Amino acid sequence: MTTKLAPPTSRTFTYFPLHTHHKASIFTTKKLQGSNSHVFDKNRLNKCRVFCRLSEKESSKIVNGVKLNDVDDVKGVVVSGLGDELDGKNEGVDGNWPPWKNLPQRYKLVGTTSLAFIICNMDKVNLSVAIIPMSHQFGWSSSVAGLVQSSFFWGYALSQLPGGWLSKVYGGRKVLQIGVLGWSLATAFVPVLAGFMPGLVLSRVLVGIGEGVSPSAATDLIARYVPLEERSRAVSFVFGGLSFGSVLGLLFAPPLIQNYGWESVFYIFGVLGIAWFLTFQFVKDDQPAFSALPSSRPGNGSVKSLNGSLTELGDSLKDVPWKAFFRSEAVWAMIYTHFCGSWGHYTILSWLPTYFSEELDLNLSEAAWVSVLPPLASIFVTSIAAQFADSLIAKGVETTVVRKICQTIAFLSPATCMLLASLDLGLPPWELVAILTGGLALSSFALSGLYCTHQDISPEYASILLGITNTVGAVPGIVGVALTGYLLDTTHSWSLSLFLPSIFFYLTGTVVWLTFASSKPQTFSSRD
């Protein structure tokens, strides 16, 4: 950055950076009067506030003399006077229209990623509702229906590690775009292939592959752009889109199925994802990416273009410290905890509408409406959990303690409620619905527990760590969902097939998490 300062006298300025990872700088105009000042970073858009005691006319001259990236551009610079001349008011040098023009890039990325996650779960839960009329039309048993639903998780498990690695190499934004387009196209083809079981299974595998890269892509974005004190809220907002997507999917699927047939939910939801992809091409970044990733090697925090050579890709894969990951107790704690949480989440997500329909004798619309309640309540709980976690961290509570508290709530709450639902207490259906809704909603505390820990211990490898834990976490979707259908056919008991296995994993996961989990930053080295 070069500067040309008109005033001949020395003035004192304070530079307050936009991101909390950077320290404030105090400097004078004499210090700025050089061809190569290092007060600002030449490689980033320097968005700041300049405080000084001088007239408004003088301040305008000084700010207009500042050149960012060798271009006379003062976008985002706000000048405030500490003296009486400016009367303590902030004045923007450029206009602020449209309202999102000067919105920080991390907010834009978090918002659009959350929207993609909404569509993600709409495409995931549509089958859990459509499976009921599809089973009747094609004569599927519970075991076959479980196989169809579990096929999604085959692709989901396969794409976790590749998604994490590709997000680190190319950046989560590029990987997310490709993932959304892939799963949306596969969703739209489900009705075409439904009568041919191998084709149907393949289409759901492809949906799983597309959606499987999304968590790692989102984790990479958050680790790169969001500081620690905002991380719980960012994770909750992005992954909370899954709950909102479940609500929308369960609300719209029944009337669409009743009025236009079960095929309509796959066509319409698939088109929504394609529309997101096309619209996202016009969303431009108004400032260079801020990377919060620490790096021990030059350029390690940067991303490569999509036409990178195979040699570069192979080298980047070798640089990943795989052995160091698996020597860490904290990583193993995340792996098992993710497995336990996914068992309860995926089995309930897949079988809850059927449980309400068959066990509580609700029709398709009633079962779908009741199934909306847990994810709807989760949206409310997620916002509370995020504020709770971030406020504790801001007050100085150790991050590990905060993550352990949140994850414990996320596990013990649904375990208790499922235990009550599995016992024959003679409770009416709506009380069972209320109990399950409360327990499943409180499980959203995991977004401020487990799902923040990957970024806490290693922002650099957060996407790959999530790829590892989510690969294991996808196994319950493959085994648990299908096993639930098999147990249901053999035992005819929802308690034995759906609730008790989840309770077991919730309790053991709590013990492992409290014993071994840690959010302390760890330095993973491939040379270890």
Side-chain angles (χ1 to χ4, degrees):
M1 167 185 158
T2 60
T3 59
K4 297 178 181 179
L5 299 174
T9 59
S10 175
R11 302 285 186 180
T12 301
F13 293 87
T14 303
Y15 159 57
F16 294 95
L18 176 65
H19 301 287
T20 56
H21 294 277
H22 297 165
K23 296 181 180 179
S25 301
I26 300 176
F27 53 92
T28 65
T29 56
K30 287 183 177 181
K31 182 178 180 180
L32 284 172
Q33 289 173 342
S35 59
N36 293 306
S37 172
H38 296 288
V39 175
F40 300 102
D41 190 340
K42 294 171 62 178
N43 297 320
R44 297 193 183 110
L45 177 63
N46 294 283
K47 193 171 182 180
C48 62
R49 292 190 178 191
V50 180
F51 295 88
C52 54
R53 287 186 178 274
L54 61 157
S55 67
E56 184 175 355
K57 184 177 180 180
E58 273 188 308
S59 68
S60 176
K61 290 180 180 178
I62 292 178
V63 173
N64 286 333
V66 177
K67 297 178 70 178
L68 301 178
N69 294 329
D70 296 325
V71 178
D72 290 315
D73 186 359
V74 289
K75 290 182 180 180
V77 177
V78 181
V79 182
S80 295
L82 293 181
D84 296 331
E85 295 85 359
L86 295 182
D87 195 26
K89 296 180 180 179
N90 295 340
E91 295 185 328
V93 179
D94 270 4
N96 292 321
W97 187 261
W100 57 84
K101 179 180 180 182
N102 294 322
L103 192 68
Q105 185 190 27
R106 65 185 187 275
Y107 294 165
K108 295 179 181 178
L109 291 176
V110 167
T112 51
T113 303
S114 180
L115 180 60
F117 273 43
I118 292 174
I119 300 173
C120 173
N121 249 31
M122 290 178 68
D123 290 337
K124 186 183 296 182
V125 303
N126 57 6
L127 184 61
S128 66
V129 179
I131 198 70
I132 299 174
M134 290 175 73
S135 297
H136 294 160
Q137 177 176 336
F138 297 108
W140 296 338
S141 64
S142 296
S143 297
V144 174
L147 175 65
V148 172
Q149 295 196 78
S150 68
S151 61
F152 165 90
F153 296 99
W154 303 353
Y156 193 78
L158 288 173
S159 59
Q160 293 303 312
L161 278 175
W165 170 57
L166 292 172
S167 295
K168 183 181 184 300
V169 175
Y170 295 119
R173 175 171 180 156
K174 294 184 178 71
V175 174
L176 180 64
Q177 292 181 68
I178 296 173
V180 173
L181 179 62
W183 90 57
S184 300
L185 290 173
T187 296
F189 272 96
V190 166
V192 179
L193 302 170
F196 179 58
M197 182 59 68
L200 175 61
V201 169
L202 176 62
S203 67
R204 291 303 292 178
V205 169
L206 294 176
V207 173
I209 291 175
E211 294 194 10
V213 302
S214 303
S216 295
T219 299
D220 176 82
L221 288 173
I222 294 170
R224 289 180 186 275
Y225 296 97
V226 180
L228 174 62
E229 59 272 18
E230 298 178 11
R231 192 165 293 156
S232 298
R233 280 167 288 177
V235 171
S236 297
F237 188 76
V238 169
F239 285 86
L242 297 175
S243 296
F244 194 63
S246 297
V247 171
L248 294 180
L250 292 170
L251 281 177
F252 287 111
L256 286 174
I257 291 174
Q258 291 179 340
N259 292 307
Y260 304 105
W262 59 265
E263 298 89 348
S264 61
V265 295
F266 298 101
Y267 290 134
I268 294 174
F269 291 2
V271 168
L272 287 177
I274 297 172
W276 182 94
F277 172 81
L278 295 175
T279 303
F280 195 66
Q281 307 308 307
F282 299 96
V283 178
K284 303 297 182 182
D285 297 336
D286 62 352
Q287 63 187 65
F290 164 72
S291 178
L293 298 179
S295 174
S296 59
R297 296 180 295 276
N300 204 40
S302 62
V303 296
K304 299 179 182 295
S305 62
L306 287 176
N307 59 356
S309 67
L310 293 177
T311 302
E312 290 177 328
L313 294 179
D315 291 341
S316 66
L317 187 60
K318 292 177 182 178
D319 287 339
V320 178
W322 302 103
K323 292 182 180 179
F325 290 158
F326 294 107
R327 285 198 294 264
S328 170
E329 288 185 349
V331 171
W332 280 108
M334 290 193 298
I335 290 173
Y336 185 69
T337 302
H338 207 142
F339 176 91
C340 295
S342 294
W343 188 286
H345 176 74
Y346 291 145
T347 55
I348 290 294
L349 182 68
S350 299
W351 287 103
L352 198 60
T354 306
Y355 168 77
F356 287 144
S357 176
E358 295 184 1
E359 183 71 6
L360 304 185
D361 295 325
L362 304 179
N363 59 38
L364 178 64
S365 295
E366 291 173 336
W369 276 94
V370 171
S371 300
V372 167
L373 297 179
L376 188 63
S378 295
I379 297 174
F380 175 73
V381 172
T382 295
S383 61
I384 295 177
Q387 295 289 345
F388 171 74
D390 282 344
S391 64
L392 288 180
I393 293 174
K395 291 177 182 177
V397 179
E398 187 180 355
T399 307
T400 298
V401 174
V402 175
R403 304 306 183 206
K404 286 187 175 183
I405 292 173
C406 291
Q407 192 61 41
T408 301
I409 295 173
F411 274 4
L412 294 185
S413 299
T416 302
C417 293
M418 287 184 185
L419 180 61
L420 293 175
S422 63
L423 298 176
D424 188 9
L425 301 177
L427 298 176
W430 294 108
E431 288 188 15
L432 289 174
V433 169
I435 291 172
L436 290 174
T437 297
L440 296 174
L442 289 172
S443 67
S444 297
F445 265 84
L447 296 180
S448 297
L450 168 67
Y451 284 86
C452 287
T453 309
H454 307 79
Q455 298 96 306
D456 292 340
I457 67 174
S458 179
E460 181 181 0
Y461 295 110
S463 62
I464 295 180
L465 287 172
L466 183 64
I468 293 172
T469 65
N470 224 7
T471 298
V472 180
V475 173
I478 301 172
V479 178
V481 174
L483 181 62
T484 300
Y486 172 77
L487 292 175
L488 192 60
D489 278 339
T490 56
T491 66
H492 304 288
S493 170
W494 285 99
S495 297
L496 294 176
S497 60
L498 182 61
F499 295 131
L500 290 185
S502 297
I503 293 172
F504 169 80
F505 287 117
Y506 279 139
L507 295 180
T508 57
T510 301
V511 173
V512 170
W513 184 257
L514 291 176
T515 305
F516 300 107
S518 174
S519 289
K520 294 181 179 179
Q522 299 190 25
T523 303
F524 297 108
S525 172
S526 58
R527 296 185 296 272
D528 290 345

